[in-house]
Amino acid sequence: LYFLLSFVNIVIIIVSYSRGSILSIGITCVLMLICLGIYKPSRSIMLKYAFAVIGGLFFSMIALALAFPVQLNAIIGNILAINLNNLNGRVPIYEMMIGSFSEQPIFGYGVYASYNEDLFYVWGHNTFVQTGYTLGMVGVLAMLWHHIEKYFYCFKKMNLEKAIILFAFIATDIYGFMDV
């Protein structure tokens, strides 16, 4: 069931055009395959499921290419349209939010402080930058505590279910470093 849900989730992420999500799921899948290949008690069954998901994704992409070639080209074009010079406009946002941090370092500016003059909400495009800007050091320390605690409980008495949850946490945290 977990792998079926993972497969559906991955397909939805790819179809959503979210480059950050696609990158984070790709990195997480590689990490998961490496770790599952090393962890002996579940190595054979987990690798069978993992390769079944990869095979399912491969055949799904072929089916999408045959059924919806224009949409698949749009997905690929969107993925490849990454501007590394300013990280698709994120560098100015990082500079503004990190530069403003020193003015309100303890409690930040508040959750609704990121509206610009056009009443458009400007996201920090990074979990820690967003938290630091809106909630200050109090928020960043709470976020750090949250990360330490969730990973501690995943590693404590590791089993298959906790390993799957761990990889889900890793995927969302990788995505959180690129977006919010």
Side-chain angles (χ1 to χ4, degrees):
L1 179 64
Y2 288 123
F3 281 96
L4 177 63
L5 293 174
S6 296
F7 172 74
V8 171
N9 190 20
I10 291 169
V11 169
I12 291 170
I13 285 172
I14 291 169
V15 173
S16 75
Y17 296 168
S18 173
R19 292 176 294 233
S21 294
I22 293 169
L23 180 63
S24 71
I25 202 70
I27 291 169
T28 304
C29 284
V30 169
L31 288 173
M32 185 173 73
L33 287 174
I34 291 168
C35 292
L36 294 177
I38 293 170
Y39 186 62
K40 190 170 182 163
S42 64
R43 181 182 307 162
S44 62
I45 189 74
M46 292 297 289
L47 287 176
K48 288 177 188 174
Y49 283 129
F51 284 115
V53 168
I54 291 170
L57 287 172
F58 178 74
F59 289 115
S60 295
M61 293 307 292
I62 290 174
L64 281 172
L66 295 174
F68 306 103
V70 173
Q71 288 82 357
L72 186 64
N73 284 335
I75 291 171
I76 292 169
N78 186 42
I79 291 170
L80 297 177
I82 297 174
N83 182 350
L84 294 177
N85 292 331
N86 68 359
L87 301 176
N88 287 357
R90 286 170 170 76
V91 171
I93 295 170
Y94 294 158
E95 290 172 346
M96 184 273 297
M97 289 189 158
I98 292 170
S100 299
F101 180 78
S102 63
E103 296 171 15
Q104 297 282 340
I106 306 296
F107 296 109
Y109 289 91
V111 176
Y112 298 109
S114 294
Y115 285 98
N116 65 13
E117 54 276 349
D118 298 327
L119 297 178
F120 180 76
Y121 196 80
V122 180
W123 292 100
H125 290 284
N126 179 295
T127 307
F128 286 96
V129 170
Q130 181 74 23
T131 303
Y133 183 78
T134 58
L135 302 173
M137 281 307 297
V138 172
V140 170
L141 291 173
M143 178 74 74
L144 283 172
W145 177 258
H146 163 72
H147 283 299
I148 291 167
E149 189 174 44
K150 76 180 181 182
Y151 286 113
F152 172 78
Y153 284 114
C154 281
F155 283 110
K156 188 177 177 180
K157 296 182 182 176
M158 179 68 74
N159 59 26
L160 181 59
E161 289 79 15
K162 284 186 176 182
I164 292 169
I165 292 169
L166 173 69
F167 286 113
F169 283 156
I170 290 170
T172 57
D173 287 339
I174 290 171
Y175 178 69
F177 289 126
M178 295 176 278
D179 216 336
V180 177

